[in-house]
Amino acid sequence: MTASVSLLPSQVTEGQGPGMAYRIEGQLVPVLHLALNGQMPVYFEHHVVLWKQPQIDIQLMRMPGAFKRVIAGMPIMMTQAVGYGEIAFSRDSSGQVFPLTIPHGQSLYVREHQFLAATMNLTFAPERIKGVGSMLFGGQGFWQDRFDAPQGDGLLWLHAHGNAFEVMLQPGEVIDVEPGSWIYRDVSVGYGQQMYGLKTGLLAGGGNIVFNRFTGPGRVGLQSGYYSPAAGAEQAAGTAAAVGGAAAALKIGSKLLGG
């Protein structure tokens, strides 16, 4: 095997980021603990907060592409933690939480429903990728967030279903990945889809199997317990039921949401 594959850390006891210290602990449903020094806020989807100290202020933040996130079945409101003190985050799912550094001037694509938290010096925008293998749109594509680091090195925390691995692809090196099992990729990594026809016999029918094809150079994150279409469908259904209220919220708070 030529690709460099490594298991990402599942426990961090003394992590350091811009304006904060952090630790990651827990075996089944891991928790991210942040100790903020008041200099760098962090932003996150509002439902992932586990606990916080009273002096930490939770605020609504400006967010581009709010309506796009409604369509994608993702939360339309992003919140931020400001101040000095501790706060903890966890997704309601077993798996692995891990940190990623995005160096100044670089970017990263993150798959839908994998984001946990990020430092405020990272910007992001949702993008839809058309093609086969959708989790939410019946095979018509999927959504990803692009994170950019225009103001120094930024820190991003993601949640993997199962264990998280990183593949480092060399220039021109290719790997085919089951569509639900990738988490992130460098913007330098090319993306495409590869479809294989399956035949079961002369008089029998056939089918297709689809892989996401990534071409180096750059990093690709993988998860062993890949994203469940049933979970995505359930979340999409809940989002559809709330679209009326979401539309009203967007009209009332359009300046705050920036969408």
Side-chain angles (χ1 to χ4, degrees), residues 10-79:
S10 58
Q11 304 286 316
V12 178
T13 57
E14 297 181 351
Q16 295 291 327
M20 69 195 66
Y22 71 92
R23 69 184 189 275
I24 298 171
E25 56 191 5
Q27 297 296 326
L28 297 179
V29 182
V31 176
L32 167 65
H33 300 267
L34 298 182
L36 307 181
N37 66 8
Q39 298 179 2
M40 176 68 73
V42 295
Y43 63 91
F44 48 91
E45 295 172 348
H46 67 278
H47 61 280
V48 302
V49 176
L50 183 61
W51 61 265
K52 73 176 187 70
Q53 291 184 319
Q55 65 268 27
I56 293 289
D57 188 23
I58 304 297
Q59 304 174 356
L60 185 67
M61 66 171 283
R62 296 181 59 87
M63 187 179 71
F67 187 69
K68 290 182 180 180
R69 293 180 69 86
V70 171
I71 298 175
M74 295 185 286
I76 66 169
M77 293 186 180
M78 197 70 71
T79 43

Side-chain angles (χ1 to χ4, degrees), residues 17 20 22 24 32 34 42 97-100 114-119 155-159:
M20 69 195 66
Y22 71 92
I24 298 171
L32 167 65
L34 298 182
V42 295
V97 171
F98 59 94
L100 283 178
Q114 311 280 173
F115 168 67
L116 187 63
T119 53
L155 194 55
L156 178 67
W157 294 272
L158 304 179
H159 178 275

